[in-house]
Structures are given as C-alpha cells and as structure tokens.
Amino acid sequence: MLAKVCSAAVQGIEAYPVEVEVNVGWGDTKFTLVGLPDAAVRESLDRVTTAMTNSAFKFPMGKTTINLAPADVRKEGPSFDLPIALGWLAASEQIETDQLDNFAMVGELALTGAVRPVKGVLPIALRAKQDGRAGVLVPAENAAEAAVVQGLQVIPIRNLREAAGFLEGEVRVAPAKVDLEKLFECAPDELVDMADVKGQESVKRALEIGAAGGHNLLLIGPPGTGKSMLAKRLPTILPPLTLDEALETTKIHSIVGALASGQALVTQRPFRSPHHTASDAGLLGGNINPTPGEISLAHHGVLFLDELPEFKRTVLETMRQPLEDGKVTISRAAGTMTFPSQFMLVAAMNPTPDGKMPGESKSSPREIQNYLGRISGPLLDRIDLHVEVPQVKFREMQAAKPGETSAQVRERVIAARRIQQQRFTGKRVTCNARMGTRELKEFCALDEAASELLKHAMSEMGLSARAHDRVLKVARTIADLAASSNITAEHLGEAIQYRTLDRQLWG
C-alpha cells in the first residue's frame, strides 16, 4: 500500500515542501530510502523502525520503498523521522486517517518513540500556511515558535503514539497558541543602561546618531575608556523590532538552532560579538552546506567587532559587500545561498599597538603604520561615524549626577525613525543609512551655504565619492533628530567632523 505524507525542508532561510512517499509491498523484508538523503536522513530508518517497535506498533515486514520528493534536491537532518514513521504506519495499515494531506509534519524520533526538537520550524510553518495546509505537527519544544504564524493550527507532539492517535482522531491535542502582543512587551535588557556610562557625552551623541539612522560606527581610544561598555549599551537605545523584522530574524536563528527551548520569537534586536579569531566562514557563513554566519545572526541588530585590527584582514575585506548590499551570497559546491545581513557594524580599536594616542605612543612610526594598515581604506569608507573615545576625567567618574537613561535616548531615536518611515513610505529603504542614489538626491538637498561647506570638506579632507554620500546620510539623520525638514550647515558640519579622525590617524 502507498501512503503520502507532507513535510518540508529548509534551503537558505526559506522552506520548500517535501512529499514523503512510503510504499509497503510483498517480498523479503528490505528498506530502501531514495531522494538524495544525506547520512542523517539515511540513518533515520534505524531510528524509525526502533521507535515504532518501542511504541507498540508492529515491525514493518515486506519490501518498503521510501521516496523524498523532489528527488533532485539534497535532504538533510533528522527532521523527516516523524513523517517517515507516520507514512510507514499508514502504508502498512496500522493507522487509518484522512488527515495526511491537511497537515505538514517534522520531528526527530528518539528510540523510545519520543519526538525531539528540530531546526527551522518557523520557516516550515510559514511554508505550510503558504501551501494551504490546515496545520503542522511539530515537536512540543518547537510549538511556540511555529505558533507565531497566525491562521495555522499548530499541534505539539510529544511522541509517535500521540501523533498517530491525533491523526486517527482518537487523541485530542490542544493547538499551541502565543500572544504576540505579550511577546513584544518584554523590555530591553535592564541590566545595562546608558546612565551607567560616566562622561563620554560626545560618544553617546555619536551612538544616538548611529541608532537613529542605522549608521556604522568605529570607536577609537586607549584601553579602559569604555568602548566595549558603550557598544553593549547600543541595543538599549535602538527602536523595537517590528513583527516582520522579528519573523525574519527568528527564521535565521531557528535554522542554526540558536533559539532557546520553547522560545517563540526573537523580540529584541540581536547583539553579536564574535572573537577576533573568527574565520570568514564563521563571520559570513558557509561550510560545505551554506549556513548563516555572525553577520546574518546580527540581522536587524548590532555586530560588534572588538579589537578590529586583530581580525584577519581577509576576513574584514569579505564584509565590504554585505555592508553595502545588506545581504551575503555564498557559493559552494552544494549550491548558492543568499542570507540577509542588514546590521549595524560597531567596531572598536586602539589608536596604536600599545594603546596610547600617536603622540604618546612608544611604538615606532612603522609599527603604528603596520597596525593601522590592517584596516583598508575601502572598509573605513563604509563606516559612517569615526569617534574618538578619550580617557574619562576623574571628576566625571566621581560625579553623583547620573547621565541620561537609555529610555530617554531611545525616545528621540524612535521619533527620528518615525520621520524616516514616513519619508520612505512605498520604498524599500528602511532607514537613512540604506538610502540609495535616488533617495540622496530627493531627500538630501543642500542650500548654498551647506553645499559650499561640503565642497570645502571634500577638497581639504580628500573624501571619496562614497564618503561624500555617507556624510550626507549622517547629516540627514542629525536633521531628523532635530526634527528639521532641511539639512543646514550646522547639521552638515557635525556630520563632517565624524570623518576627521580617520584622516588624522590614517592620513
């Protein structure tokens, strides 16, 4: 007898439908699995047969052929255990149900018959809804994640016997539900706050501008000045994620298994801080079968690179294209994958190898030049705000009056982002940092005084065409924070001064 079960697999960050066909016929007992399965899928036969026996089902006799369609796409992972088992039970007439076409199902089976969690359940649930399925059968630990998809019946399954009983109508399982509004009520991390930072008002201002426009930042200063402390507090002043942003971010975290058990949705902007020994595959993604790297896990959030010159130059250079395009394309023998990577880059570094400012450093000019030379000009051009983080004065450290809280700064950032949302209505641009050439011409027009100031800065500082555009984007953000519809010379002047530090150090 032939049985067909609906399942799905993940390719990139999207899911595609997989039809599990199981045919049980006469002949010697033999199992055949086809459809380009990888080692984990081929091993499922041993897991499935043992789980069926331990769940009080009969051992399947006769010649069994299992096909995973489409047969020209490689299938990976243990998520097909549950649909193979249920298809096998239906084909051997151990269960009778007409619900196989209505539900998509995924899950790994333990030898006891228990259903274990798998990766990529959210994109699979979204695909099931797109294909018109009534619902999905998923491991109980993944149920909250799938339940964020509205209009889809999510059935949490704990073991094979429960799944079979539900499909036959003999066992009632309450669908999983989540309250999206309640999920988004969670406040940002209260353990860190901008009020904790003593002094550094100019750096806080730069962080506010970066958060308001989605601009990349480079923090340069001696050790112990608070560069890492400031960077870790940046997410607390960023605007909250929208539902679409949260779903896209959660999909990425789901397919790499980065979601906590029972977590439904990523509702806070990610903050990723890879070590400087990270490889290009770890940062961008890759391996034999392309998977997302740190820059994709930081999508809609912050990627913090501490000790920037300590990263391999080849690794840093691979980030240039994702910084421009907001996505990374990885080509391997197994295929080509494109992952989203719209993140804010925040980098921190010392001004010289020994950490002191150039005039105070004991390093030789050649040592300083070699140290700074690890960061290329094209990469620096893609960082909008170059900010000096000076030593904090004693009186500032001992000041009793606390600084502004993250909540206060965040209100101004949200107000500026709201202006940008209205400005870019109907466009694919999400913030000022993502403006293209057309948007720059339309929204960054300068009056005569501002235009003359920019012309002088270009000539004196030797700014590139890319740096010219990024200065305009930062000026637009500064004007938005001031609720100004026009970019004035004052706004432009502040934006230009964020491009002077690299000229002083790199020449």
Side-chain angles (χ1 to χ4, degrees):
M1 182 178 176
L2 174 66
K4 296 181 181 180
V5 179
C6 302
S7 187
V10 176
Q11 191 172 41
I13 65 168
E14 303 297 336
Y16 62 93
V18 174
E19 190 173 72
V20 180
E21 300 174 318
V22 183
N23 186 80
V24 177
W26 297 100
D28 296 335
T29 301
K30 181 181 178 182
F31 311 132
T32 304
L33 179 61
V34 295
L36 283 184
D38 71 349
V41 180
R42 286 195 297 270
E43 291 171 355
S44 67
L45 294 180
D46 294 324
R47 289 193 298 272
V48 168
T49 53
T50 306
M52 289 168 63
T53 303
N54 288 335
S55 298
F57 291 107
K58 295 179 182 179
F59 185 81
M61 307 297 288
K63 182 180 179 180
T64 301
T65 303
I66 302 167
N67 179 43
L68 307 178
D72 61 341
V73 181
R74 189 167 181 80
K75 317 301 186 305
E76 303 170 358
S79 61
F80 298 108
D81 289 5
L82 183 61
I84 287 174
L86 292 171
W88 214 331
L89 292 174
S92 60
E93 300 181 342
Q94 296 188 60
I95 62 172
E96 295 182 4
T97 177
D98 58 357
Q99 296 296 312
L100 293 180
D101 285 337
N102 295 331
F103 290 88
M105 53 195 75
V106 290
E108 177 186 349
L109 287 177
L111 299 185
T112 60
V115 180
R116 289 173 171 160
V118 294
K119 300 175 183 177
V121 167
L122 177 57
I124 288 171
L126 289 166
R127 181 69 201 208
K129 182 180 179 182
Q130 181 182 338
D131 290 342
R133 306 293 175 200
V136 289
L137 271 63
V138 298
E141 288 88 343
N142 295 127
E145 176 187 344
V148 301
V149 181
Q150 301 297 295
L152 189 71
Q153 195 176 6
V154 177
I155 308 301
I157 298 299
R158 292 173 177 79
N159 54 66
L160 179 58
R161 173 61 69 176
E162 184 180 48
F166 172 79
L167 291 174
E168 288 189 299
E170 296 178 356
V171 176
R172 297 189 64 182
V173 181
K177 296 185 182 300
V178 296
D179 187 341
L180 290 177
E181 292 185 4
K182 191 173 182 180
L183 289 176
F184 281 97
E185 287 176 359
C186 299
D189 189 353
E190 296 179 354
L191 298 178
V192 293
D193 196 283
M194 278 293 182
D196 302 332
V197 183
K198 300 290 186 180
Q200 306 293 19
E201 297 305 320
S202 62
V203 187
K204 292 179 186 177
R205 168 66 176 173
L207 289 176
E208 181 179 340
I209 294 170
H215 303 288
N216 303 321
L217 296 101
L218 175 61
L219 307 178
I220 305 175
T225 53
K227 299 187 294 294
S228 299
M229 183 180 186
L230 285 156
K232 290 175 182 177
R233 280 153 180 76
L234 179 58
T236 66
I237 64 173
L238 288 171
L241 284 170
T242 64
L243 178 58
D244 288 341
E245 289 175 336
L247 286 172
E248 194 171 28
T249 304
T250 305
K251 282 199 294 185
I252 298 169
H253 286 244
S254 175
I255 63 178
V256 299
L259 291 180
S261 178
Q263 183 179 1
L265 202 63
V266 176
T267 56
Q268 302 298 324
R269 293 191 180 271
F271 181 86
R272 306 293 299 186
S273 180
H275 193 260
H276 59 75
T277 56
S279 65
D280 54 352
L283 202 62
L284 269 74
N287 300 320
I288 297 175
N289 299 308
T291 54
E294 289 291 339
I295 65 172
S296 294
L297 289 168
H299 185 52
H300 293 314
V302 176
L303 177 69
F304 177 48
L305 302 183
D306 200 5
E307 303 295 344
L308 186 65
E310 300 301 327
F311 284 81
K312 294 179 182 177
R313 178 160 179 163
T314 54
V315 173
L316 295 178
E317 292 305 297
T318 57
M319 291 188 10
R320 284 158 53 177
Q321 180 251 339
L323 282 171
E324 284 289 323
D325 300 340
K327 60 183 178 182
V328 56
T329 301
I330 303 168
S331 296
R332 296 289 186 272
T336 299
M337 302 290 179
T338 298
F339 300 112
S341 59
Q342 289 190 18
F343 58 92
M344 275 185 66
L345 172 64
V346 180
M349 62 176 287
N350 299 327
T352 59
D354 60 5
K356 301 185 185 308
M357 295 305 289
E360 305 169 353
S361 175
K362 295 181 180 179
S363 302
S364 68
R366 176 172 287 276
E367 288 175 332
I368 295 175
Q369 183 180 10
N370 290 339
Y371 177 75
L372 297 175
R374 298 175 189 174
I375 305 168
S376 69
L379 180 60
L380 280 172
D381 252 1
R382 288 168 168 82
I383 301 178
D384 304 339
L385 306 169
H386 305 158
V387 188
E388 181 180 358
V389 186
Q391 292 283 4
V392 183
K393 297 178 181 178
F394 177 78
R395 58 183 176 81
E396 292 177 334
M397 289 292 296
Q398 297 298 315
K401 184 180 178 182
E404 278 190 307
T405 64
S406 292
Q408 291 172 311
V409 180
R410 198 183 199 200
E411 287 181 6
R412 296 196 295 268
V413 169
I414 291 174
R417 285 288 184 109
R418 194 176 293 120
I419 293 172
Q420 294 166 48
Q421 289 173 358
Q422 295 172 353
R423 176 184 300 133
F424 301 131
T425 300
K427 300 178 183 290
R428 294 185 178 181
V429 180
T430 55
C431 59
N432 287 336
R434 296 289 167 188
M435 283 192 290
T437 305
R438 292 182 180 178
E439 288 78 25
L440 280 173
K441 290 181 179 179
E442 184 177 354
F443 303 117
C444 297
L446 302 177
D447 59 24
E448 186 175 347
S451 181
E452 193 63 30
L453 175 61
L454 184 57
K455 178 182 176 182
H456 180 72
M458 289 280 293
S459 174
E460 292 295 319
M461 299 169 61
L463 297 178
S464 67
R466 181 184 288 113
H468 167 276
D469 290 349
R470 290 184 176 271
V471 166
L472 284 177
K473 294 175 184 179
V474 173
R476 180 67 269 172
T477 300
I478 295 171
D480 290 342
L481 283 168
S484 172
S485 58
N486 299 318
I487 299 175
T488 66
E490 181 182 356
H491 303 144
L492 189 62
E494 184 177 1
I496 291 171
Q497 63 98 11
Y498 289 118
R499 304 296 304 210
T500 60
L501 184 59
D502 62 317
R503 272 25 188 202
Q504 295 172 18
L505 293 177
W506 278 269

